[in-house]
């Protein structure tokens, strides 16, 4: 069947927009062709520095004839309603069809040539294309990311004729700006298009460009006994900058290697789009770089490498200046003073205020993670200082990292320097989780202050927006807690923040710390919630935090995301969290045990029995309160199956309570599994809704006991499978 080939050729498209543009082109054209009644076999878009290309294969030559049925008013409707329906459809009354007391209109439309639908589709797509930024040029009204030069549009080998703002469709494209022939390339079909572009030094597919860059960059490094420092983000970017990417190995002044490697790599990446190079013989960076050129130089790239080396030297000289200046004595005190003049948020105070909060929180969290409180507080005091440094001002991506280097250079303890370096982590799902106790304390305090602070001023994430990255902060806290097995319930964390910051958070910035009556906490056995209640803080909690349940529920939603990504079922998280537990380590252990249990035959069958019992009890609860107390045994004429289940429930309840007390959730599930046989036998042989009131009441008590003992482990009613 025929194919559609569309190419929109323009000036350079920013690399960061190319992948999204390819997806949008495929989606928009596909939706419009489908709306026109067309089907196809395959559709695929390509993006490059100067072109967006779309291939659609298996299109018919014409759209099919279509009959559309529209439902109209009832035959008993007022005459005005019928007249309006006739105007809408353009039919007369005798052309309507009456069925079941309702008028229907059958609208028939003849098919049309596919080329007509294509011309309309391309015009609508280009005019409505959702570029993040676009521009106009010349005297036209058309907007595109950069001025459009050509539009190639072929269907079944023939040009689809149309004109968009003076740009006439055709069958020609262009090759590489410098290496190509410089003449228009006449195209017949997609295979011809791809071959001619390749012959004119244009690689159409971004995946091919990435592969070429990676293979050749590794090769030029290996030829000198070096290794490429791979960077997926940079690889994607440079693949969008060059139509014919050619990696070249360059050299830099070895004296720059005394700079931190992160500074060298970031300077190369951000300013110059160079790859760093590693020397395996010395386990560090080599005085080299890889630049990806868009040409094949006749001298093998020597002149290009030399020119890029001079530019890189200028950049690294700037970095060296910042490095030397930032390491001067007394800078940390100066930087901390500067933070007093930097607003973190209008309602949450300055960065200095935030540092004060994090320091106090880190000191309180430290004993819970096995860290020294004084070290945790000191690390937290220094954690944000490098935000005022020259290097971080130039490279914000190095915040924390540079603070760690500067503290080491100043002779500070390694644990404190490492905590400053790593306290932002983990910043994403692929980032490693710190395990050093001081680092964990500061990282938790940092993320806790962010979350509780913004929830307190009602700046919560919405479905589409999360300007303060609170979801990332919550996921980071969850991973810190789970991977370090920190027993720190969520509500306790929220209460801790409440006790350690100003009372009037909702009205004014958190500027002054309030030393809270810790004696109350100690008298309550360390129970912050009880101490808060005694001090009359409950209303304050509701007013300031709308209840801590907002934060707890937010954490649970993030936990669901994390567990779902690792293969867990989110309904099991609901089933466990419904018990009111907010200890993430314990929640995960329960979820794992529940998942394993439900995967067994006993678990699946017991779940079915639970739901049957629960449905009966829910129906009875609608009629009135359920009978209270335990089911009796030894009643006259009592079925053996009822007696066996009653005894099993009593025994299992004792085992479950002991297992839960020991947090042995597998043992609790094993105990529950012993109910499977008695429950099955009970429902097989016993009629719950007996005509004898005493029998019915006793059996309802028994089912309530079954539901209750299972409910101590999880809310099985939340389990969907």
């Amino acid at each position: 069947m025929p194919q559609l080939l569309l190419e929109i050729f323009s000036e350079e498209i920013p690399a960061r927009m190319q992948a999204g543009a390819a997806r949008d082109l495929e989606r928009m054209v596909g939706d419009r062709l489908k709306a026109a009644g067309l089907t196809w076999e395959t559709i695929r878009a390509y993006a490059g520095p100067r072109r967006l290309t779309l291939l659609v294969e298996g299109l018919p030559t014409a759209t099919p004839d279509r009959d559309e049925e529209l439902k109209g008013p009832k035959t008993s409707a007022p005459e005005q309603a019928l007249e309006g329906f006739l105007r809408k459809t353009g039919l007369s009354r005798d052309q309507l069809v009456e069925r079941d007391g309702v008028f229907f209109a059958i609208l028939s439309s003849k098919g049309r040539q596919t080329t007509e639908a294509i011309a309309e589709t391309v015009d609508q797509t280009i005019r409505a294309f959702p570029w993040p930024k676009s521009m106009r040029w010349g005297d036209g009204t058309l907007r595109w990311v950069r001025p459009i030069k050509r539009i190639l549009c072929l269907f079944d080998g023939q040009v689809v004729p149309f004109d968009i703002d003076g740009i006439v469709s055709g069958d020609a494209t262009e090759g590489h700006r410098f290496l190509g022939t410089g003449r228009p390339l006449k195209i017949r079909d997609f295979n011809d298009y791809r071959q001619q572009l390749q012959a004119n030094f244009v690689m159409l597919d971004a995946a091919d460009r990435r592969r070429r860059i990676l293979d050749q960059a590794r090769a030029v490094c290996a030829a000198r006994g070096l290794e490429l420092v791979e960077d997926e983000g940079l690889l994607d970017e440079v693949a969008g900058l060059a139509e014919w990417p050619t990696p070249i190995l360059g050299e830099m002044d070895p004296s720059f290697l005394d700079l931190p490697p992160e500074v060298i790599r970031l300077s190369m990446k951000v300013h110059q789009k160079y790859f760093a190079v590693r020397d395996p013989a010395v386990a560090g960076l080599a005085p080299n770089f890889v630049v990806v050129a868009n040409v094949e130089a006749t001298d093998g790239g020597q002149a290009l490498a030399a020119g890029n080396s001079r530019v890189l030297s200028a950049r690294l000289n700037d970095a060296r200046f910042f490095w030397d200046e930032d390491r001067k004595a007394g800078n940390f005190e100066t930087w901390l003073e500067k933070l007093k003049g930097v607003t973190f948020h209008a309602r949450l105070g300055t960065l200095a205020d935030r540092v004060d909060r994090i320091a106090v929180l880190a000191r309180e969290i430290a004993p819970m993670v096995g860290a020294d409180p004084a070290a945790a507080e000191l690390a937290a005091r220094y954690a944000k200082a490098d935000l005022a440094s020259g290097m971080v001002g130039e490279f914000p991506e190095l915040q924390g990292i540079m603070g760690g280097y500067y503290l080491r250079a100043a002779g500070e303890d390694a644990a404190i320097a490492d905590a400053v370096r790593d306290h932002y982590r983990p910043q994403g799902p692929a980032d490693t989780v710190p395990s050093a106790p001081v680092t964990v304390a500061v990282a938790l305090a940092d993320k806790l202050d962010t979350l509780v602070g913004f929830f307190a001023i009602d700046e919560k994430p919405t479905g589409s927006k999360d300007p303060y990255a609170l979801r990332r902060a919550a996921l980071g806290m969850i991973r810190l807690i789970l991977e370090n097995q920190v027993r720190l319930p969520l509500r306790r964390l929220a209460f801790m923040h409440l006790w350690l910051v100003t009372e009037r958070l909702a009205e004014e910035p958190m500027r002054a710390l309030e030393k809270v009556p810790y004696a109350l906490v100690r008298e309550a056995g360390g129970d912050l919630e009880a101490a808060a209640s005694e001090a009359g803080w409950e209303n304050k909690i509701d007013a300031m935090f709308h209840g801590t349940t907002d934060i707890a529920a937010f954490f649970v939603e993030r936990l669901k995301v994390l567990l779902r990504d690792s293969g867990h079922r989110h309904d099991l998280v609901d089933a466990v969290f419904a018990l009111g537990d907010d200890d993430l380590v314990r929640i995960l252990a329960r979820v794992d045990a529940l998942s394993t249990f439900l995967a067994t035959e006993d678990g699946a069958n017991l779940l079915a029995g639970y739901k049957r019992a629960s449905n009966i009890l829910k129906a009875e609860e609608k009629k009135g309160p359920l009978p209270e107390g335990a089911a009796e045994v030894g009643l006259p004429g009592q079925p053996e199956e009822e007696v066996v289940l009653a005894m099993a429930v009593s025994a299992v309840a004792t085992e479950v309570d002991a297992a839960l007390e020991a947090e042995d959730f597998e043992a609790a599930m094993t105990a529950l599994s012993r109910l499977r046989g008695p429950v099955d036998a009970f429902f097989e042989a016993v009629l719950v809704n007996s005509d004898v009131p005493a029998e019915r009441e006793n059996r309802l008590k028994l089912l309530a006991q079954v539901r209750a003992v299972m409910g101590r482990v999880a809310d099985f009613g939340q389990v969907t499978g």
Side-chain angles (χ1 to χ4, degrees):
M1 296 180 74
Q3 67 174 214
L4 165 64
L5 174 60
L6 171 67
E7 181 201 70
I8 306 169
F9 184 86
S10 69
E11 294 295 337
E12 273 69 14
I13 303 170
R16 67 183 183 279
M17 298 184 187
Q18 291 173 19
R23 291 191 296 269
D24 287 334
L25 181 64
E26 184 176 312
R27 172 183 56 82
M28 295 175 73
V29 171
D31 289 348
R32 284 170 170 78
L33 292 178
K34 189 182 297 182
L38 291 166
T39 59
W40 58 86
E41 294 174 0
T42 61
I43 182 170
R44 185 177 179 188
Y46 303 85
R50 294 197 295 162
R51 67 197 80 222
L52 289 182
T53 302
L54 183 74
L55 172 66
V56 186
E57 296 186 290
L59 281 169
T61 56
T63 64
D65 296 342
R66 290 196 292 180
D67 289 333
E68 182 181 7
E69 183 178 84
L70 294 181
K71 184 178 180 180
K74 293 183 178 180
T75 54
S76 58
E79 192 66 26
Q80 294 91 329
L82 179 58
E83 290 175 357
F85 184 61
L86 293 175
R87 285 195 300 271
K88 174 184 175 181
T89 58
L91 302 178
S92 60
R93 181 165 185 159
D94 59 353
Q95 291 176 298
L96 300 180
V97 176
E98 182 183 341
R99 188 165 63 247
D100 298 329
V102 178
F103 285 119
F104 290 86
I106 309 298
L107 301 180
S108 299
S109 60
K110 290 291 184 182
R112 57 176 179 157
Q113 292 300 305
T114 297
T115 51
E116 297 178 26
I118 290 172
E120 290 179 2
T121 292
V122 174
D123 185 276
Q124 294 167 1
T125 298
I126 288 178
R127 294 186 186 281
F129 206 81
W131 290 108
K133 292 184 179 180
S134 60
M135 61 180 291
R136 289 201 305 265
W137 61 95
D139 298 327
T141 59
L142 189 64
R143 299 191 69 90
W144 198 248
V145 64
R146 296 290 186 270
I148 296 175
K149 300 299 184 182
R150 295 178 181 273
I151 299 178
L152 179 150
C153 190
L154 299 176
F155 178 67
D156 199 14
Q158 301 298 315
V159 173
V160 178
F162 56 81
D163 179 320
I164 302 178
D165 248 24
I167 305 170
V168 180
S169 60
D171 60 356
T173 187
E174 297 180 23
H176 193 283
R177 187 188 295 274
F178 307 114
L179 302 178
T181 63
R183 299 187 301 272
L185 308 175
K186 296 289 185 179
I187 305 300
R188 298 188 303 274
D189 56 27
F190 180 73
N191 287 337
D192 180 47
Y193 171 74
R194 192 165 194 162
Q195 290 170 8
Q196 289 206 55
L197 286 182
Q198 188 79 12
N200 279 268
F201 302 93
V202 174
M203 301 186 75
L204 178 65
D205 196 334
D208 292 338
R209 297 195 296 272
R210 284 195 296 269
R211 194 176 304 111
R212 174 185 169 92
I213 293 167
L214 199 55
D215 291 346
Q216 292 194 7
R218 287 170 175 168
V220 297
C221 290
R224 296 275 295 275
L226 304 172
E227 294 178 354
L228 181 73
V229 178
E230 297 183 13
D231 185 320
E232 285 294 322
L234 180 58
L235 180 61
D236 287 338
E237 185 171 8
V238 294
L241 295 174
E243 292 184 309
W244 193 255
T246 305
I248 298 170
L249 184 67
E251 297 180 354
M252 70 179 191
D253 186 343
S255 66
F256 288 121
L257 293 180
D258 63 359
L259 291 170
E262 294 89 348
V263 172
I264 297 172
R265 290 183 58 182
L266 200 60
S267 187
M268 288 180 176
K269 176 179 179 177
V270 172
H271 294 304
Q272 304 305 129
K273 316 305 178 190
Y274 300 161
F275 289 90
V277 176
R278 182 186 299 112
D279 185 348
V282 297
L285 292 182
N288 299 88
F289 60 90
V290 172
V291 57
V292 179
N294 193 29
V295 295
E296 287 186 344
T298 55
D299 64 352
Q302 294 181 11
L304 277 169
N308 281 280
S309 180
R310 288 192 294 272
V311 175
L312 179 60
S313 292
R315 293 292 187 185
L316 292 178
N317 272 322
D318 291 342
R320 175 177 283 161
F321 171 79
F322 293 129
W323 172 244
D324 292 339
E325 288 295 308
D326 287 345
R327 287 183 297 160
K328 290 181 177 178
N331 272 353
F332 268 90
E333 290 70 23
T334 302
W335 294 338
L336 290 173
E337 190 65 27
K338 284 183 178 180
L339 295 184
K340 295 179 180 179
V342 181
T343 300
F344 171 64
H345 186 280
R347 298 179 64 195
L348 297 177
T350 65
L351 278 174
D353 296 328
R354 175 159 155 76
V355 167
D356 286 341
R357 296 195 300 270
I358 295 172
V360 178
L361 286 168
R363 186 179 187 90
E364 294 300 315
I365 292 172
M368 306 173 193
V369 298
D372 176 62
E377 181 177 5
L378 183 59
R381 292 280 175 197
Y382 286 141
K384 306 298 178 183
D386 67 355
L387 293 175
S389 69
M391 188 73 82
V392 174
E394 181 73 8
F395 299 110
E397 300 91 337
L398 295 179
Q399 55 189 284
I401 294 172
M402 296 314 303
Y405 276 113
Y406 296 146
L407 285 171
R408 283 180 181 275
E412 188 55 74
D413 183 77
I416 293 174
D418 289 347
V420 171
R421 179 193 65 196
D422 295 334
H423 80 280
Y424 288 102
R425 301 169 69 180
Q427 297 191 66
D431 200 6
T432 56
V433 175
S435 58
V438 175
T439 307
V440 173
V442 179
L444 283 172
D446 179 39
K447 293 169 177 57
L448 175 64
D449 181 69
T450 298
L451 281 162
V452 178
F454 282 109
F455 265 74
I457 62 173
D458 212 20
E459 289 282 2
K460 306 170 196 174
T462 63
S464 59
K465 294 182 179 180
D466 185 12
Y468 304 110
L470 301 188
R471 292 187 178 95
R472 185 174 69 186
L475 281 171
M477 282 193 68
I478 290 169
R479 291 186 63 198
L480 283 163
I481 289 170
L482 293 180
E483 296 190 29
N484 289 289
Q485 293 290 292
V486 180
R487 307 308 299 270
L488 204 55
L490 300 177
R491 282 178 62 82
R492 185 173 184 184
L493 282 173
F495 275 111
M496 184 181 297
H497 195 286
L498 267 177
W499 283 93
L500 299 175
V501 299
T502 180
E503 287 190 44
R504 293 186 295 168
L505 175 62
E507 289 77 32
E508 64 186 34
M510 294 190 290
R511 298 189 181 279
L513 286 172
E514 177 188 16
K515 287 296 182 181
V516 299
Y518 287 108
L520 277 176
V521 180
R522 286 193 294 273
E523 289 168 11
D527 188 337
L528 285 168
E529 195 164 350
S533 178
E534 185 177 344
W537 279 60
E538 290 295 339
N539 292 336
K540 195 174 303 180
I541 291 165
D542 289 338
M544 294 167 67
F545 285 86
H546 317 288
T548 55
T549 51
D550 277 2
I551 294 177
F554 181 69
F555 267 101
V556 170
E557 287 305 312
R558 294 303 93 204
L559 180 60
K560 286 183 192 177
V561 171
L562 186 67
L563 294 182
R564 184 173 64 243
D565 290 345
S566 62
H568 290 78
R569 288 166 44 183
H570 65 82
D571 60 322
L572 302 189
V573 181
D574 287 334
V576 170
F577 189 72
L579 303 181
D581 195 358
D582 63 348
D583 183 317
L584 296 184
V585 173
R586 193 161 52 226
I587 287 174
L588 182 58
R590 282 180 182 264
V591 169
D592 285 337
L594 182 59
S595 178
T596 301
F597 175 60
L598 293 177
T600 66
E601 184 180 356
D602 283 346
N605 287 332
L606 185 58
L607 176 62
Y610 172 92
K611 290 188 174 181
R612 186 172 177 182
S614 184
N615 288 337
I616 292 171
L617 293 172
K618 286 178 182 177
E620 291 300 320
E621 285 171 331
K622 292 179 181 179
K623 302 174 185 177
L626 292 174
E628 297 180 357
E632 298 180 49
V633 296
L635 298 176
Q638 189 174 32
E640 180 183 355
E641 293 82 2
E642 185 175 339
V643 174
V644 170
L645 179 57
M647 296 176 65
V649 168
S650 179
V652 166
T654 301
E655 291 182 50
V656 166
D657 287 344
L660 293 179
E661 180 67 24
E663 295 192 5
D664 188 346
F665 302 114
E666 291 184 2
M669 299 299 172
T670 300
L672 285 185
S673 69
R674 287 194 274 279
L675 286 178
R676 181 262 174 107
V679 167
D680 288 350
F682 175 83
F683 280 122
E684 184 72 26
V686 179
L687 176 65
V688 176
N689 288 315
S690 170
D691 293 334
V692 180
E695 291 181 351
R696 175 177 170 277
E697 181 175 308
N698 197 63
R699 291 164 188 174
L700 288 175
K701 288 181 180 179
L702 184 53
L703 292 186
Q705 285 181 260
V706 171
R707 183 172 68 175
V709 71
M710 293 184 68
R712 296 175 198 175
V713 177
D715 182 355
F716 284 85
Q718 300 269 12
V719 180
T720 58

